[in-house]
Amino acid sequence: MQNGTRIDRTERKLAKPNFTPIVAALPQTVPFVGPEALQRRSGITMRARIGANESGFGPSPAVKAAIAEAAGDVWKYPDPDVFDLRATVAAHVGVTAGEISIGEGIDGLMSVLVRMFISPGEIVVTSAGAYPTFNYHVVGYGGQLRFVPYKDDHEHLEALLDEVRRTNARMVYLANPDNPMGTWWPAEAVNAFIAALPESCLFVLDEAYGETAPAGTLPPLDAGRPNVLRLRTFSKAYGLAGIRCGYAIGDADLIGGFDRVRNHFGVSRLSQLAAGIALEDQAYLDQAVASIHRANDRIAAIAADNGLSAIPTATNFVAVDCGRDGAYALRVLEELGQLGIFVRKPMAPGLDRCIRVSAAPDREMDLFAEALPTALRKAHGAG
């Protein structure tokens, strides 16, 4: 373009810069298909957005008021040190500010930590079917993934540990509570896993759903284990998925590495403000978590009313076992989509028999309850 006019270069073929070998070998894709993309493709409006594990209960009223009041300041760059929010988070979890790094949600933190610790060809162990964005970043920086199957709808701790030892892996990933199944391990089991892990292997413990988990799920913070990074977010129970803000907790030397490579202006001014106020309003968090638990119970009841079973959950979603194979569950998902109900599903064999339904207010739950019998009938007929 020159002065707004496109230059015609059809007379000759121009050379294009080459991608790196790693990027050139990757598909052009994103880990998730969003409801917006589904609407664009199908022309069907998604009436119930219950697939992305967002919180339809929204953020604290105090957060919304603060965002509205601060909107006029968005012309200013955010604080690149994220000083105030780091201090607030540190005080909340009981560590020093030097043991906290703030990023653009857990997804952004994953990108940075993989860049920090994984060189091309190094091995990373995870569970087959676990959070795909982590895999996306590992492959994007040239790491080699090794997968361990789930066992009884739980991430298999013993098998993960065995694979780390067998491959001399540089990193291992675990979500507790888990996504996509919603299952969890008690803190004692996670602590035993940490104690048995080789010191040379970095343990990435994703605790995105920690606020909705039963008491005793999250291990106490232990600064004496320098090979553990714990990730938390404001996207789930705090209702701030659109803000993109999360934090890592770990040894000060490991956390200091984030400052070497992170996007220092990546966490916006409004994100820093909103997250800090959300953390201070624990009374609202308690209300939101109670609403999530009620909605999860409603999803389980809707499933049972339709002859399906719900897997017990510690998250803000429920994995609903459709009772057949993955192809059938996919048809159920697609039929729900045709009715304007956005849900997702696990894709790994064994897990793919389920659809995954996010907790939401009554209006969305009513729409799901209305649509599910029709979706099941059509999916059964298509089979």
Side-chain angles (χ1 to χ4, degrees):
M1 304 282 286
Q2 186 175 14
N3 295 327
T5 303
R6 186 178 181 85
I7 299 173
D8 185 4
R9 294 193 174 97
T10 57
E11 70 279 2
R12 64 188 180 95
K13 183 74 171 180
L14 297 180
K16 297 179 181 179
N18 293 325
F19 293 119
T20 68
I22 290 173
V23 172
L26 296 174
Q28 186 173 318
T29 186
V30 294
F32 297 110
V33 177
E36 296 86 358
L38 293 175
Q39 290 183 165
R40 287 191 293 269
R41 293 177 188 175
S42 68
I44 298 171
T45 299
M46 292 298 127
R47 300 180 298 145
R49 185 176 172 127
I50 51 175
N53 304 346
E54 302 150 316
S55 177
F57 303 102
S60 156
V63 170
K64 291 187 279 189
I67 290 174
E69 184 177 348
D73 287 336
V74 295
W75 62 272
K76 302 176 184 177
Y77 281 112
D79 175 9
D81 294 323
V82 203
F83 183 87
D84 290 341
L85 181 55
R86 287 172 64 221
T88 300
V89 170
H92 177 72
V93 301
V95 300
T96 68
E99 294 167 312
I100 298 291
S101 184
I102 310 293
E104 303 95 317
I106 284 180
D107 294 354
L109 291 164
M110 284 176 172
S111 176
V112 176
L113 70 87
V114 171
R115 182 182 176 192
M116 288 162 58
F117 293 105
I118 300 301
S119 297
E122 291 189 317
I123 293 174
V124 178
V125 173
T126 186
S127 300
Y131 190 50
T133 299
F134 177 74
N135 304 344
Y136 173 84
H137 291 307
V138 171
V139 174
Y141 285 111
Q144 300 295 312
L145 288 162
R146 298 292 184 272
F147 295 104
V148 170
Y150 278 60
K151 181 180 180 182
D152 299 328
D153 295 326
H154 287 69
E155 295 197 56
H156 194 338
L157 297 184
E158 291 180 4
L160 286 168
L161 186 58
D162 287 346
E163 187 68 6
V164 166
R165 290 168 173 163
R166 188 186 72 79
T167 61
N168 193 28
R170 174 77 163 147
M171 182 183 291
V172 60
Y173 170 82
L174 172 74
N176 192 54
D178 171 67
N179 179 14
M181 302 309 287
T183 52
W184 70 101
W185 289 104
E188 293 82 1
V190 178
N191 277 332
F193 180 86
I194 293 171
L197 196 66
E199 294 179 2
S200 58
C201 182
L202 177 65
F203 180 29
V204 179
L205 178 56
D206 182 343
E207 298 176 323
Y209 300 95
E211 287 81 10
T212 56
T217 300
L218 305 185
L221 295 172
D222 181 7
R225 296 294 304 191
N227 65 329
V228 179
L229 279 175
R230 299 169 70 162
L231 306 179
R232 297 181 183 175
T233 186
F234 294 93
S235 295
K236 307 302 180 184
Y238 287 102
L240 290 170
I243 284 289
R244 308 312 304 128
C245 190
Y247 57 98
I249 313 168
D251 173 81
D253 289 338
L254 265 63
I255 290 296
F258 281 84
D259 281 337
R260 302 182 183 209
V261 293
R262 69 181 175 90
N263 177 3
H264 290 78
F265 288 124
V267 182
S268 75
R269 191 176 191 88
L270 291 184
S271 297
Q272 294 183 34
L273 173 69
I277 293 174
L279 205 59
E280 292 172 350
D281 194 349
Q282 290 296 300
Y284 178 79
L285 177 67
D286 291 343
Q287 295 175 28
V289 169
S291 296
I292 288 167
H293 289 162
R294 285 193 296 270
N296 284 344
D297 290 343
R298 177 88 189 278
I299 295 167
I302 293 168
D305 289 344
N306 287 274
L308 309 180
S309 59
I311 295 171
T313 183
T315 64
N316 71 341
F317 64 85
V318 178
V320 174
D321 189 338
C322 292
R324 292 176 59 177
D325 60 11
Y328 175 71
L330 180 59
R331 290 197 296 272
V332 174
L333 178 147
E334 291 172 342
E335 293 296 345
L336 286 169
Q338 290 295 310
L339 297 169
I341 311 299
F342 167 62
V343 300
R344 285 193 175 128
K345 68 181 298 297
M347 298 305 293
L351 310 182
D352 61 354
R353 71 191 194 280
C354 299
I355 58 172
R356 196 193 66 189
V357 183
S358 303
D362 288 339
R363 175 187 172 277
E364 284 78 8
M365 294 292 92
D366 291 344
L367 290 169
F368 176 60
E370 176 188 331
L372 184 58
T374 301
L376 291 171
R377 184 173 64 254
K378 291 185 175 180
H380 182 74

